[in-house]
Amino acid sequence: MEILNIEGAEDTPKIILDRTNGIFEISGRSLPEDSAEFYKPVLEWLKSYSGQSNSATDFVFKLEYFNTASSKLILDVLSSLESIGGTTVHWYHHEDDEDMQEAGQEFSELVEIPFEFRTY
Amino acid sequence: MRFIYDLHQSMITHNVILIYEGDFTQETTKSILSMAERNLESSGEESGIKKRIFNVMVEALQNIVKHSDEIEVDKSKSHAAIFLIGNEQSRYSIMSGNPVRKENIPTLKNALEKINSLDKDGLKELYKEIIKNTTISEKGGAGLGFVDMARKSGEKLEWDFVDVNEEYSFFCLKVNIARAKEAVA
């Protein structure tokens, strides 16, 4: 499978989805003008990965900030992960960012995937 | 030239630290955000408060970009809107104003009234209900902006519709964010 590698920018997160090396990570800031368009390749990648997934998928979210339009797309990403067996979400938040921790908790209540909470 | 001084005085009287007036795009949003971030960086404000201000700014600015209605004044069309940040003794406020077509007012009012009728837990439930059922609109919104602003603010949203002409009103919104308690003294 091809690696999906999107460089981060001022208003978009860095994304690496690499099946061979087992790296699945979305990090940084997410406030793109068109969130649906921005996350489209991610959702497409996950769709094709779901048919040939690794036995364990440790998916890392290390977000500094995301806007509400991105939150809907993050939920779509999580919903795609629900159908991939052996997935664990590692939700990072800055140690003094309670809002980001709470956001992760809310996502964990919306999908049936184990979440692990970590600080950075 | 008097108006320059008057505007300057008015900003001081109303504790306004930043104003942007004109057309809003994703590019202006990014510029305003980075300018405000630099200001906040040097203010020594607590990081949690700074993030909430940033959060509300993004939603307010992107609301303008996505929803400000095109208004025709003297035959020239414009999306002109205004964005302000206020810095009062006990709180910051993020303010915006943009033209809306009158037929869009009832929907906006209903949403804002519903949000203001809810407490912290009610807002959390509303947020979860919307995010589960929403789809991204043609304009690129998730319908979560006001709810998120209210949650980050912790206070009621202040809003008004000022009559412009038969077709349009000017939608004014003020979102307050209390300073960290230690900083008040």
PDB file of all heavy atoms in Angstrom, chain A residues 6-9 12-16 24-30 38-39 59-65 92 120:
ATOM      1  N   ILE A   6       1.164  13.790   4.241  1.00  0.00           N
ATOM      2  CA  ILE A   6       0.751  15.175   3.984  1.00  0.00           C
ATOM      3  C   ILE A   6       1.526  16.084   4.937  1.00  0.00           C
ATOM      4  O   ILE A   6       1.499  15.889   6.159  1.00  0.00           O
ATOM      5  CB  ILE A   6      -0.775  15.354   4.191  1.00  0.00           C
ATOM      6  CG1 ILE A   6      -1.557  14.408   3.266  1.00  0.00           C
ATOM      7  CG2 ILE A   6      -1.193  16.807   3.953  1.00  0.00           C
ATOM      8  CD1 ILE A   6      -3.057  14.380   3.502  1.00  0.00           C
ATOM      9  N   GLU A   7       2.253  17.011   4.361  1.00  0.00           N
ATOM     10  CA  GLU A   7       3.021  17.958   5.179  1.00  0.00           C
ATOM     11  C   GLU A   7       2.069  18.879   5.937  1.00  0.00           C
ATOM     12  O   GLU A   7       1.065  19.330   5.395  1.00  0.00           O
ATOM     13  CB  GLU A   7       3.916  18.815   4.277  1.00  0.00           C
ATOM     14  CG  GLU A   7       5.220  18.143   3.867  1.00  0.00           C
ATOM     15  CD  GLU A   7       6.103  17.802   5.068  1.00  0.00           C
ATOM     16  OE1 GLU A   7       6.238  18.662   5.962  1.00  0.00           O
ATOM     17  OE2 GLU A   7       6.640  16.678   5.103  1.00  0.00           O
ATOM     18  N   GLY A   8       2.411  19.186   7.178  1.00  0.00           N
ATOM     19  CA  GLY A   8       1.578  20.108   7.945  1.00  0.00           C
ATOM     20  C   GLY A   8       1.759  21.543   7.473  1.00  0.00           C
ATOM     21  O   GLY A   8       2.785  21.887   6.892  1.00  0.00           O
ATOM     22  N   ALA A   9       0.751  22.362   7.709  1.00  0.00           N
ATOM     23  CA  ALA A   9       0.846  23.788   7.387  1.00  0.00           C
ATOM     24  C   ALA A   9       0.219  24.565   8.541  1.00  0.00           C
ATOM     25  O   ALA A   9      -0.217  23.984   9.535  1.00  0.00           O
ATOM     26  CB  ALA A   9       0.137  24.085   6.068  1.00  0.00           C
ATOM     27  N   THR A  12      -3.391  23.340   8.436  1.00  0.00           N
ATOM     28  CA  THR A  12      -3.708  21.921   8.188  1.00  0.00           C
ATOM     29  C   THR A  12      -2.702  21.018   8.905  1.00  0.00           C
ATOM     30  O   THR A  12      -1.530  21.365   9.061  1.00  0.00           O
ATOM     31  CB  THR A  12      -3.668  21.587   6.679  1.00  0.00           C
ATOM     32  OG1 THR A  12      -2.434  22.045   6.140  1.00  0.00           O
ATOM     33  CG2 THR A  12      -4.830  22.214   5.936  1.00  0.00           C
ATOM     34  N   PRO A  13      -3.164  19.853   9.362  1.00  0.00           N
ATOM     35  CA  PRO A  13      -2.282  18.976  10.142  1.00  0.00           C
ATOM     36  C   PRO A  13      -1.316  18.171   9.278  1.00  0.00           C
ATOM     37  O   PRO A  13      -1.499  18.053   8.065  1.00  0.00           O
ATOM     38  CB  PRO A  13      -3.277  18.039  10.834  1.00  0.00           C
ATOM     39  CG  PRO A  13      -4.421  17.957   9.892  1.00  0.00           C
ATOM     40  CD  PRO A  13      -4.521  19.311   9.242  1.00  0.00           C
ATOM     41  N   LYS A  14      -0.304  17.642   9.944  1.00  0.00           N
ATOM     42  CA  LYS A  14       0.612  16.702   9.300  1.00  0.00           C
ATOM     43  C   LYS A  14      -0.020  15.326   9.433  1.00  0.00           C
ATOM     44  O   LYS A  14      -0.525  14.960  10.492  1.00  0.00           O
ATOM     45  CB  LYS A  14       1.947  16.750  10.052  1.00  0.00           C
ATOM     46  CG  LYS A  14       3.002  15.776   9.578  1.00  0.00           C
ATOM     47  CD  LYS A  14       4.256  15.961  10.460  1.00  0.00           C
ATOM     48  CE  LYS A  14       5.283  14.865  10.235  1.00  0.00           C
ATOM     49  NZ  LYS A  14       5.866  14.882   8.880  1.00  0.00           N
ATOM     50  N   ILE A  15      -0.006  14.593   8.336  1.00  0.00           N
ATOM     51  CA  ILE A  15      -0.626  13.264   8.361  1.00  0.00           C
ATOM     52  C   ILE A  15       0.316  12.235   7.761  1.00  0.00           C
ATOM     53  O   ILE A  15       0.864  12.443   6.664  1.00  0.00           O
ATOM     54  CB  ILE A  15      -1.966  13.265   7.583  1.00  0.00           C
ATOM     55  CG1 ILE A  15      -2.961  14.235   8.241  1.00  0.00           C
ATOM     56  CG2 ILE A  15      -2.565  11.853   7.521  1.00  0.00           C
ATOM     57  CD1 ILE A  15      -4.299  14.344   7.545  1.00  0.00           C
ATOM     58  N   ILE A  16       0.548  11.146   8.498  1.00  0.00           N
ATOM     59  CA  ILE A  16       1.303  10.023   7.941  1.00  0.00           C
ATOM     60  C   ILE A  16       0.489   8.750   8.150  1.00  0.00           C
ATOM     61  O   ILE A  16       0.100   8.432   9.277  1.00  0.00           O
ATOM     62  CB  ILE A  16       2.676   9.829   8.630  1.00  0.00           C
ATOM     63  CG1 ILE A  16       3.527  11.098   8.525  1.00  0.00           C
ATOM     64  CG2 ILE A  16       3.432   8.653   8.007  1.00  0.00           C
ATOM     65  CD1 ILE A  16       4.811  11.015   9.307  1.00  0.00           C
ATOM     66  N   PHE A  24       0.552   5.540  11.991  1.00  0.00           N
ATOM     67  CA  PHE A  24      -0.726   6.176  11.637  1.00  0.00           C
ATOM     68  C   PHE A  24      -0.868   7.387  12.532  1.00  0.00           C
ATOM     69  O   PHE A  24      -1.103   7.244  13.729  1.00  0.00           O
ATOM     70  CB  PHE A  24      -1.888   5.201  11.870  1.00  0.00           C
ATOM     71  CG  PHE A  24      -1.638   3.824  11.280  1.00  0.00           C
ATOM     72  CD1 PHE A  24      -1.034   2.831  12.045  1.00  0.00           C
ATOM     73  CD2 PHE A  24      -1.996   3.546   9.967  1.00  0.00           C
ATOM     74  CE1 PHE A  24      -0.795   1.573  11.508  1.00  0.00           C
ATOM     75  CE2 PHE A  24      -1.760   2.293   9.426  1.00  0.00           C
ATOM     76  CZ  PHE A  24      -1.155   1.300  10.193  1.00  0.00           C
ATOM     77  N   GLU A  25      -0.677   8.571  11.981  1.00  0.00           N
ATOM     78  CA  GLU A  25      -0.647   9.738  12.858  1.00  0.00           C
ATOM     79  C   GLU A  25      -1.193  11.007  12.197  1.00  0.00           C
ATOM     80  O   GLU A  25      -0.886  11.303  11.050  1.00  0.00           O
ATOM     81  CB  GLU A  25       0.794   9.981  13.328  1.00  0.00           C
ATOM     82  CG  GLU A  25       0.895  11.121  14.304  1.00  0.00           C
ATOM     83  CD  GLU A  25       2.238  11.199  15.045  1.00  0.00           C
ATOM     84  OE1 GLU A  25       2.854  10.145  15.318  1.00  0.00           O
ATOM     85  OE2 GLU A  25       2.666  12.326  15.335  1.00  0.00           O
ATOM     86  N   ILE A  26      -2.013  11.729  12.973  1.00  0.00           N
ATOM     87  CA  ILE A  26      -2.501  13.046  12.558  1.00  0.00           C
ATOM     88  C   ILE A  26      -2.081  14.018  13.653  1.00  0.00           C
ATOM     89  O   ILE A  26      -2.409  13.807  14.828  1.00  0.00           O
ATOM     90  CB  ILE A  26      -4.048  13.063  12.403  1.00  0.00           C
ATOM     91  CG1 ILE A  26      -4.484  12.016  11.368  1.00  0.00           C
ATOM     92  CG2 ILE A  26      -4.545  14.450  11.995  1.00  0.00           C
ATOM     93  CD1 ILE A  26      -5.984  11.980  11.088  1.00  0.00           C
ATOM     94  N   SER A  27      -1.307  15.047  13.287  1.00  0.00           N
ATOM     95  CA  SER A  27      -0.808  15.947  14.321  1.00  0.00           C
ATOM     96  C   SER A  27      -0.792  17.398  13.857  1.00  0.00           C
ATOM     97  O   SER A  27      -0.716  17.688  12.667  1.00  0.00           O
ATOM     98  CB  SER A  27       0.611  15.530  14.733  1.00  0.00           C
ATOM     99  OG  SER A  27       1.468  15.571  13.615  1.00  0.00           O
ATOM    100  N   GLY A  28      -0.875  18.289  14.832  1.00  0.00           N
ATOM    101  CA  GLY A  28      -0.784  19.723  14.534  1.00  0.00           C
ATOM    102  C   GLY A  28      -2.130  20.426  14.617  1.00  0.00           C
ATOM    103  O   GLY A  28      -2.961  20.096  15.453  1.00  0.00           O
ATOM    104  N   ARG A  29      -2.312  21.372  13.719  1.00  0.00           N
ATOM    105  CA  ARG A  29      -3.522  22.190  13.716  1.00  0.00           C
ATOM    106  C   ARG A  29      -4.413  21.848  12.550  1.00  0.00           C
ATOM    107  O   ARG A  29      -3.924  21.672  11.444  1.00  0.00           O
ATOM    108  CB  ARG A  29      -3.143  23.657  13.537  1.00  0.00           C
ATOM    109  CG  ARG A  29      -2.546  24.255  14.742  1.00  0.00           C
ATOM    110  CD  ARG A  29      -2.265  25.690  14.433  1.00  0.00           C
ATOM    111  NE  ARG A  29      -1.801  26.312  15.651  1.00  0.00           N
ATOM    112  CZ  ARG A  29      -1.681  27.619  15.824  1.00  0.00           C
ATOM    113  NH1 ARG A  29      -1.958  28.437  14.838  1.00  0.00           N
ATOM    114  NH2 ARG A  29      -1.274  28.093  16.967  1.00  0.00           N
ATOM    115  N   SER A  30      -5.701  21.795  12.791  1.00  0.00           N
ATOM    116  CA  SER A  30      -6.615  21.489  11.700  1.00  0.00           C
ATOM    117  C   SER A  30      -7.744  22.519  11.630  1.00  0.00           C
ATOM    118  O   SER A  30      -8.694  22.454  12.395  1.00  0.00           O
ATOM    119  CB  SER A  30      -7.185  20.081  11.887  1.00  0.00           C
ATOM    120  OG  SER A  30      -8.027  19.758  10.813  1.00  0.00           O
ATOM    121  N   PHE A  38     -10.170  18.264   2.467  1.00  0.00           N
ATOM    122  CA  PHE A  38      -8.854  17.976   3.041  1.00  0.00           C
ATOM    123  C   PHE A  38      -8.763  16.532   3.547  1.00  0.00           C
ATOM    124  O   PHE A  38      -7.748  15.865   3.362  1.00  0.00           O
ATOM    125  CB  PHE A  38      -8.521  18.961   4.175  1.00  0.00           C
ATOM    126  CG  PHE A  38      -7.185  18.683   4.799  1.00  0.00           C
ATOM    127  CD1 PHE A  38      -6.014  19.120   4.187  1.00  0.00           C
ATOM    128  CD2 PHE A  38      -7.085  17.936   5.973  1.00  0.00           C
ATOM    129  CE1 PHE A  38      -4.773  18.823   4.724  1.00  0.00           C
ATOM    130  CE2 PHE A  38      -5.849  17.635   6.527  1.00  0.00           C
ATOM    131  CZ  PHE A  38      -4.683  18.088   5.899  1.00  0.00           C
ATOM    132  N   TYR A  39      -9.819  16.048   4.211  1.00  0.00           N
ATOM    133  CA  TYR A  39      -9.761  14.707   4.809  1.00  0.00           C
ATOM    134  C   TYR A  39     -10.147  13.578   3.838  1.00  0.00           C
ATOM    135  O   TYR A  39     -10.082  12.409   4.189  1.00  0.00           O
ATOM    136  CB  TYR A  39     -10.625  14.644   6.077  1.00  0.00           C
ATOM    137  CG  TYR A  39      -9.920  15.278   7.253  1.00  0.00           C
ATOM    138  CD1 TYR A  39     -10.146  16.599   7.609  1.00  0.00           C
ATOM    139  CD2 TYR A  39      -8.964  14.572   7.982  1.00  0.00           C
ATOM    140  CE1 TYR A  39      -9.468  17.198   8.673  1.00  0.00           C
ATOM    141  CE2 TYR A  39      -8.282  15.151   9.050  1.00  0.00           C
ATOM    142  CZ  TYR A  39      -8.540  16.462   9.372  1.00  0.00           C
ATOM    143  OH  TYR A  39      -7.860  17.035  10.420  1.00  0.00           O
ATOM    144  N   PHE A  59      -3.413   4.136  16.209  1.00  0.00           N
ATOM    145  CA  PHE A  59      -3.667   5.390  15.502  1.00  0.00           C
ATOM    146  C   PHE A  59      -3.487   6.568  16.458  1.00  0.00           C
ATOM    147  O   PHE A  59      -4.149   6.658  17.483  1.00  0.00           O
ATOM    148  CB  PHE A  59      -5.089   5.379  14.927  1.00  0.00           C
ATOM    149  CG  PHE A  59      -5.261   6.298  13.752  1.00  0.00           C
ATOM    150  CD1 PHE A  59      -5.303   5.791  12.456  1.00  0.00           C
ATOM    151  CD2 PHE A  59      -5.362   7.683  13.925  1.00  0.00           C
ATOM    152  CE1 PHE A  59      -5.448   6.646  11.354  1.00  0.00           C
ATOM    153  CE2 PHE A  59      -5.503   8.540  12.832  1.00  0.00           C
ATOM    154  CZ  PHE A  59      -5.545   8.019  11.544  1.00  0.00           C
ATOM    155  N   VAL A  60      -2.555   7.440  16.094  1.00  0.00           N
ATOM    156  CA  VAL A  60      -2.200   8.553  16.974  1.00  0.00           C
ATOM    157  C   VAL A  60      -2.845   9.869  16.526  1.00  0.00           C
ATOM    158  O   VAL A  60      -2.729  10.259  15.365  1.00  0.00           O
ATOM    159  CB  VAL A  60      -0.660   8.727  17.021  1.00  0.00           C
ATOM    160  CG1 VAL A  60      -0.266  10.007  17.776  1.00  0.00           C
ATOM    161  CG2 VAL A  60      -0.003   7.503  17.646  1.00  0.00           C
ATOM    162  N   PHE A  61      -3.548  10.516  17.455  1.00  0.00           N
ATOM    163  CA  PHE A  61      -4.009  11.889  17.251  1.00  0.00           C
ATOM    164  C   PHE A  61      -3.217  12.766  18.213  1.00  0.00           C
ATOM    165  O   PHE A  61      -3.293  12.582  19.424  1.00  0.00           O
ATOM    166  CB  PHE A  61      -5.504  12.036  17.578  1.00  0.00           C
ATOM    167  CG  PHE A  61      -6.419  11.447  16.542  1.00  0.00           C
ATOM    168  CD1 PHE A  61      -6.851  10.123  16.655  1.00  0.00           C
ATOM    169  CD2 PHE A  61      -6.855  12.212  15.471  1.00  0.00           C
ATOM    170  CE1 PHE A  61      -7.712   9.576  15.710  1.00  0.00           C
ATOM    171  CE2 PHE A  61      -7.720  11.663  14.516  1.00  0.00           C
ATOM    172  CZ  PHE A  61      -8.139  10.342  14.633  1.00  0.00           C
ATOM    173  N   LYS A  62      -2.425  13.675  17.646  1.00  0.00           N
ATOM    174  CA  LYS A  62      -1.642  14.575  18.500  1.00  0.00           C
ATOM    175  C   LYS A  62      -1.950  15.984  18.028  1.00  0.00           C
ATOM    176  O   LYS A  62      -1.134  16.643  17.405  1.00  0.00           O
ATOM    177  CB  LYS A  62      -0.157  14.250  18.312  1.00  0.00           C
ATOM    178  CG  LYS A  62       0.719  14.604  19.491  1.00  0.00           C
ATOM    179  CD  LYS A  62       2.171  14.283  19.177  1.00  0.00           C
ATOM    180  CE  LYS A  62       2.715  13.269  20.160  1.00  0.00           C
ATOM    181  NZ  LYS A  62       4.105  12.893  19.851  1.00  0.00           N
ATOM    182  N   LEU A  63      -3.170  16.421  18.322  1.00  0.00           N
ATOM    183  CA  LEU A  63      -3.639  17.694  17.777  1.00  0.00           C
ATOM    184  C   LEU A  63      -3.475  18.828  18.773  1.00  0.00           C
ATOM    185  O   LEU A  63      -3.759  18.684  19.961  1.00  0.00           O
ATOM    186  CB  LEU A  63      -5.102  17.560  17.351  1.00  0.00           C
ATOM    187  CG  LEU A  63      -5.313  16.645  16.143  1.00  0.00           C
ATOM    188  CD1 LEU A  63      -6.768  16.202  16.043  1.00  0.00           C
ATOM    189  CD2 LEU A  63      -4.886  17.343  14.853  1.00  0.00           C
ATOM    190  N   GLU A  64      -3.032  19.918  18.247  1.00  0.00           N
ATOM    191  CA  GLU A  64      -2.883  21.118  19.062  1.00  0.00           C
ATOM    192  C   GLU A  64      -4.212  21.877  19.057  1.00  0.00           C
ATOM    193  O   GLU A  64      -4.636  22.439  20.049  1.00  0.00           O
ATOM    194  CB  GLU A  64      -1.783  21.977  18.440  1.00  0.00           C
ATOM    195  CG  GLU A  64      -1.391  23.192  19.232  1.00  0.00           C
ATOM    196  CD  GLU A  64      -0.681  24.196  18.349  1.00  0.00           C
ATOM    197  OE1 GLU A  64      -0.024  23.776  17.365  1.00  0.00           O
ATOM    198  OE2 GLU A  64      -0.793  25.388  18.633  1.00  0.00           O
ATOM    199  N   TYR A  65      -4.859  21.846  17.914  1.00  0.00           N
ATOM    200  CA  TYR A  65      -6.116  22.568  17.765  1.00  0.00           C
ATOM    201  C   TYR A  65      -6.879  22.033  16.558  1.00  0.00           C
ATOM    202  O   TYR A  65      -6.285  21.705  15.538  1.00  0.00           O
ATOM    203  CB  TYR A  65      -5.856  24.078  17.561  1.00  0.00           C
ATOM    204  CG  TYR A  65      -7.123  24.787  17.187  1.00  0.00           C
ATOM    205  CD1 TYR A  65      -8.069  25.077  18.157  1.00  0.00           C
ATOM    206  CD2 TYR A  65      -7.414  25.068  15.863  1.00  0.00           C
ATOM    207  CE1 TYR A  65      -9.283  25.637  17.808  1.00  0.00           C
ATOM    208  CE2 TYR A  65      -8.633  25.636  15.507  1.00  0.00           C
ATOM    209  CZ  TYR A  65      -9.551  25.914  16.483  1.00  0.00           C
ATOM    210  OH  TYR A  65     -10.755  26.441  16.142  1.00  0.00           O
ATOM    211  N   TYR A  92      -3.441  12.195  22.201  1.00  0.00           N
ATOM    212  CA  TYR A  92      -2.501  13.034  22.956  1.00  0.00           C
ATOM    213  C   TYR A  92      -3.072  14.419  23.189  1.00  0.00           C
ATOM    214  O   TYR A  92      -3.751  14.974  22.331  1.00  0.00           O
ATOM    215  CB  TYR A  92      -1.189  13.204  22.171  1.00  0.00           C
ATOM    216  CG  TYR A  92      -0.288  11.999  22.214  1.00  0.00           C
ATOM    217  CD1 TYR A  92      -0.546  10.878  21.414  1.00  0.00           C
ATOM    218  CD2 TYR A  92       0.833  11.986  23.042  1.00  0.00           C
ATOM    219  CE1 TYR A  92       0.295   9.785  21.443  1.00  0.00           C
ATOM    220  CE2 TYR A  92       1.681  10.885  23.071  1.00  0.00           C
ATOM    221  CZ  TYR A  92       1.410   9.782  22.278  1.00  0.00           C
ATOM    222  OH  TYR A  92       2.232   8.697  22.312  1.00  0.00           O
ATOM    223  N   TYR A 120       1.704  15.179  26.245  1.00  0.00           N
ATOM    224  CA  TYR A 120       3.015  15.460  25.649  1.00  0.00           C
ATOM    225  C   TYR A 120       3.519  16.785  26.147  1.00  0.00           C
ATOM    226  O   TYR A 120       2.782  17.536  26.773  1.00  0.00           O
ATOM    227  CB  TYR A 120       2.953  15.430  24.119  1.00  0.00           C
ATOM    228  CG  TYR A 120       2.141  16.507  23.451  1.00  0.00           C
ATOM    229  CD1 TYR A 120       2.693  17.756  23.116  1.00  0.00           C
ATOM    230  CD2 TYR A 120       0.788  16.299  23.131  1.00  0.00           C
ATOM    231  CE1 TYR A 120       1.937  18.740  22.491  1.00  0.00           C
ATOM    232  CE2 TYR A 120       0.038  17.281  22.508  1.00  0.00           C
ATOM    233  CZ  TYR A 120       0.621  18.494  22.183  1.00  0.00           C
ATOM    234  OH  TYR A 120      -0.125  19.465  21.567  1.00  0.00           O
TER     235      TYR A 120
END
